[in-house]
Amino acid sequence: MIPNKALIKKILEKTLLALSIIGFFLVIYEEGFKKPFLSMSDSHFVLKVILTLVWTGYIGQFFLFKWVKVNFKKLVAEILLIFLISTVLFFIFSEFKLPGLDAQTAITSDRFLVDFLVTVVFLIELSKLSLGVGGLKLNPQMIFILSFLTLIGVGTILLMLPKATNAPIHLVDALFTATSAVCVTGLIVLDTAKDFTLFGQFIIMILFQIGGLGMMTFTSFFGFFFKGNFSFQNQLFLKDFINEERFGQVFNTLLKVITFTFLVEGMGALFIYISLDEALFDGPMDMIFFSVFHSVSGFCNAGFSILSDGLYQEGFRQNYDMHLVIALTIVFGGIGFPVVLSYYQYLKHLVKGFYRKVVFGENYRHVPRVVNIGTRLVVITTGILLLIGFVTFWVFEEDYTLKGMEGYGKVVTAFFGAVTPRTAGFNTVDMTAMAGPTILLYLLLMWVGASPGSTGGGLKTSTFAVAILSTLSIAKGKDRVEVFRREISNTTLRKAFAVTFLSIMMMGGTVFLLKLFDSELPLTSVVFEAFSAFSTVGLSLGITSGLSFGSKMVLIVTMFVGRIGILTFLIGLSRGVKTLSYRYPEESVFIT
């Protein structure tokens, strides 16, 4: 009985994988090529059949093999998901049309929904396979690097499809765009609004959504959610990626990360949609895609926009409500998931303590310390940098990009100007019209970047804070670094120094090579471009589209190394050493 059940389970899993692959490639062929071998209606029907078969298989898997093994929360979540998707499939096959939509829009939305669900199914099956990467004889850093390289490669191929662009593009431009999207940078050599079709823009959005979360985080969550087993090896492999030391809480932490991501992106898209002027769009579907694209781009700190002039485009540059919403999504995405989870635990304890005090009259005998030094340093450093950015932008741009502005619009623009160099890359002003001191300030803000464990890049706020504290400690003659009645470990200090030094060397090398390949470019613009690429910001002084082949390749490497982290990159390439069982005599080196 057991072998037959195991055999059925294996056959069902292989069948679902095969169907998902067939469906995905049919979607790619249907959307990516101008002359599909099937008519649009025929391929659409085939995709509906595949989607129904796969979902029937999922339901069968759940009730035959999984439902008795999952906890109550996961059981409720899966039942709700099954009900939701089943309802969507019912409306798809019944050709239900939302009121207010014309016939053509209804057909387009139905087709988009089917293609989207088939793609989701493929990602689910791919996620199941990703749970086996922990068994590879590679260190986690190398697997992390390879996951980004794989995603960039797939993205490049998809962006080369005929229907992804309005005209054929060069391989290097496709590679640059895919790297910029996966590494959530936002630097563009092509106009995302004009050169890419809706299909191409959707690919770009998926790339920076997965790249922002991290491919291993994204696939591991869905792989476990639908497969139902998380081995000790999987948890050991993933715990460093999501900053979770407790093995039994890896999936719960992944669930919180994914939930927080989609919650912020959903709320952001809703508020952006409310702020839009309907006269600027072709219809509600166009507005929905615009809202989702910019919300996801903001949270992931990607900086991509489907407006040719970014948020500075006529008709959008004075939509200060939208600017404020996007700025807040950038802050939430760049603050870092460890910070969010720490304060979630803190608020949870406060609410629980208040409840027990009101209901049972009890006080906490011991208040748990759930907000650690790293979290406090990140929050304080982020707040200080935002304040400095806001005040200096307000002062230096008074007679430049802020000229003529007043009241609410001026405050929002200055706040956005402080937020966007923190690896976001959006622009609500003309970047080429900024004052010189503001550009220099942007170099500092871009270099520091976002926080560890976030969707952004850069040196990271915690590294910058530790470097400042270490400098102050040495200046005071202390032999250790102390903050908030805690001593920062020597390992942390060494890593902070290494990352700081390597980042400066990397950006210096990038500047040198850019000037070597494009010597006619202004040095200020080149330096700005190098800082923006390494810190995955995406802001530019207008030179990106005119770069030579060599400069584009240099920026591709810089964006990639900046996203995964230069120290992670070196650790992934090195073989590592065993614990040293000896020590040499210690000597001092004269430093002045």
Side-chain angles (χ1 to χ4, degrees):
M1 185 68 183
I2 295 177
N4 291 337
K5 191 173 182 179
L7 180 62
I8 292 172
K9 182 179 179 182
K10 186 175 182 180
I11 293 174
L12 188 56
E13 288 177 347
K14 298 293 183 183
T15 303
L16 292 175
L17 176 62
L19 285 172
S20 68
I21 293 174
I22 294 171
F24 179 72
F25 278 100
L26 184 57
V27 168
I28 295 301
Y29 196 85
E30 177 188 84
E31 298 292 342
F33 292 88
K34 296 182 179 179
K35 294 181 179 179
F37 64 93
L38 290 175
S39 66
M40 195 63 69
S41 59
D42 290 340
S43 62
H44 190 61
F45 176 76
V46 172
L47 286 174
K48 284 184 176 181
V49 172
I50 290 175
L51 194 58
T52 304
L53 290 175
V54 170
W55 199 249
T56 303
Y58 282 159
I59 294 175
Q61 275 187 326
F62 177 75
F63 285 106
L64 286 175
F65 308 111
K66 291 173 58 179
W67 74 275
V68 295
K69 298 180 181 180
V70 298
N71 59 50
F72 179 74
K73 291 182 180 179
K74 194 167 183 293
L75 178 65
V76 172
E78 293 206 8
I79 290 177
L80 288 176
L81 185 60
I82 289 173
F83 175 77
L84 176 62
I85 302 298
S86 301
T87 304
V88 171
L89 289 176
F90 171 77
F91 283 123
I92 288 175
F93 273 95
S94 63
E95 298 184 356
F96 174 79
K97 188 178 76 171
L98 291 173
L101 293 182
D102 57 80
Q104 184 59 42
T105 304
I107 293 173
T108 302
S109 59
D110 178 69
R111 175 181 151 200
F112 173 79
L113 182 59
V114 171
D115 291 348
F116 176 74
L117 289 176
V118 171
T119 304
V120 169
V121 165
F122 174 74
L123 290 175
I124 289 171
E125 292 301 314
L126 184 66
S127 298
K128 292 179 183 179
L129 292 178
S130 73
L131 294 179
V133 299
L136 298 177
K137 295 182 178 180
L138 297 171
N139 60 41
Q141 289 79 13
M142 178 55 70
I143 294 177
F144 184 67
I145 293 171
L146 291 177
S147 69
F148 274 86
L149 287 175
T150 302
L151 189 58
I152 290 171
V154 172
T156 302
I157 294 171
L158 293 178
L159 292 177
M160 289 288 290
L161 295 174
K163 286 179 68 176
T165 54
N166 291 311
I169 62 174
H170 196 278
L171 174 62
V172 175
D173 292 336
L175 176 62
F176 191 100
T177 304
T179 305
S180 183
V182 172
C183 298
V184 291
T185 304
L187 288 175
I188 54 173
V189 291
L190 298 172
D191 189 333
T192 310
K194 295 179 179 178
D195 294 326
F196 291 95
T197 62
L198 178 63
F199 176 62
Q201 293 168 358
F202 182 75
I203 291 171
I204 292 172
M205 183 178 71
I206 294 298
L207 290 178
F208 60 64
Q209 174 70 91
I210 299 177
L213 282 173
M215 187 172 177
M216 294 309 302
T217 300
F218 187 85
T219 58
S220 296
F221 170 75
F222 288 101
F224 173 70
F225 189 88
F226 285 93
K227 194 168 184 177
N229 58 324
F230 225 8
S231 67
F232 179 82
Q233 189 177 41
N234 291 137
Q235 297 181 63
L236 183 65
F237 174 74
L238 285 170
K239 71 181 186 67
D240 293 330
F241 290 145
I242 59 175
N243 194 40
E244 177 57 68
E245 296 298 328
R246 298 167 296 174
F247 287 99
Q249 295 298 313
V250 170
F251 175 75
N252 288 334
T253 302
L254 281 173
L255 177 61
K256 291 170 186 173
V257 168
I258 298 295
T259 301
F260 176 74
T261 297
F262 290 154
L263 179 63
V264 174
E265 290 176 350
M267 293 296 292
L270 175 62
F271 287 118
I272 290 174
Y273 182 89
I274 294 172
S275 72
L276 297 178
D277 182 359
E278 295 182 9
L280 299 173
F281 297 89
D282 295 332
M285 294 302 296
D286 194 20
M287 294 174 64
I288 291 173
F289 182 73
F290 178 92
S291 303
V292 172
F293 188 97
H294 285 85
S295 180
V296 176
S297 183
F299 181 82
C300 292
N301 284 221
F304 275 89
S305 175
I306 48 179
L307 300 172
S308 295
D309 294 326
L311 303 182
Y312 186 65
Q313 183 156 314
E314 190 67 40
F316 296 88
R317 67 177 63 171
Q318 293 180 337
N319 188 347
Y320 301 118
D321 290 337
M322 182 182 73
H323 297 172
L324 183 59
V325 171
I326 293 177
L328 292 176
T329 61
I330 292 169
V331 172
F332 281 121
I335 197 69
F337 295 116
V339 173
V340 174
L341 294 174
S342 292
Y343 278 98
Y344 167 80
Q345 292 294 337
Y346 179 70
L347 292 175
K348 181 179 177 181
H349 282 291
L350 285 181
V351 172
K352 186 183 294 185
F354 178 77
Y355 171 78
R356 295 191 68 85
K357 185 175 182 179
V358 171
V359 177
F360 302 105
E362 296 180 1
N363 290 320
Y364 269 127
R365 296 180 181 177
H366 170 68
V367 180
R369 185 172 173 271
V370 294
V371 179
N372 57 28
I373 295 301
T375 298
R376 296 172 70 179
L377 283 178
V378 164
V379 172
I380 293 173
T381 307
T382 299
I384 292 174
L385 291 174
L386 287 176
L387 180 61
I388 292 174
F390 176 81
V391 172
T392 52
F393 191 94
W394 182 289
V395 173
F396 293 143
E397 294 300 306
E398 180 71 30
D399 297 323
Y400 292 87
T401 58
L402 290 179
K403 190 173 184 179
M405 293 186 185
E406 57 183 20
Y408 176 65
K410 188 175 182 180
V411 172
V412 172
T413 302
F415 178 66
F416 199 99
V419 170
T420 192
R422 306 290 310 289
T423 84
F426 289 102
N427 66 299
T428 58
V429 298
D430 183 0
M431 294 294 298
T432 60
M434 288 198 309
T438 308
I439 293 175
L440 295 178
L441 172 69
Y442 267 35
L443 293 179
L444 172 65
L445 295 178
M446 289 192 298
W447 178 50
V448 176
S451 304
S454 71
T455 59
L459 180 67
K460 299 297 189 295
T461 51
S462 58
T463 304
F464 181 71
V466 169
I468 294 295
L469 290 172
S470 178
T471 302
L472 294 175
S473 179
I474 293 173
K476 293 177 181 179
K478 289 185 175 182
D479 60 354
R480 56 187 177 271
V481 180
E482 299 171 329
V483 61
F484 302 128
R485 297 185 178 180
R486 292 291 188 275
E487 181 179 338
I488 297 178
S489 68
N490 185 53
T491 302
T492 301
L493 297 176
R494 291 171 58 199
K495 285 183 178 180
F497 168 76
V499 172
T500 303
F501 172 75
L502 290 172
S503 67
I504 294 173
M505 294 297 294
M506 183 71 187
M507 290 186 295
T510 300
V511 171
F512 174 79
L513 291 174
L514 289 179
K515 285 295 290 182
L516 179 65
F517 290 118
D518 291 287
S519 57
E520 73 284 357
L521 293 176
L523 180 60
T524 301
S525 299
V526 170
V527 173
F528 197 91
E529 199 83 3
F531 274 65
S532 180
F534 178 79
S535 299
T536 69
V537 178
L539 291 174
S540 174
L541 296 182
I543 67 172
T544 313
S545 59
L547 293 175
S548 64
F549 170 81
S551 293
K552 289 179 183 178
M553 295 304 297
V554 170
L555 287 184
I556 287 172
V557 174
T558 303
M559 289 187 293
F560 178 75
V561 174
R563 175 63 183 99
I564 63 176
I566 190 166
L567 194 59
T568 301
F569 181 74
L570 293 177
I571 293 174
L573 294 180
S574 65
R575 298 182 62 181
V577 296
K578 297 179 180 179
T579 302
L580 299 178
S581 57
Y582 61 90
R583 294 187 71 92
Y584 289 119
E586 185 179 284
E587 287 191 19
S588 299
V589 177
F590 181 65
I591 301 293
T592 183

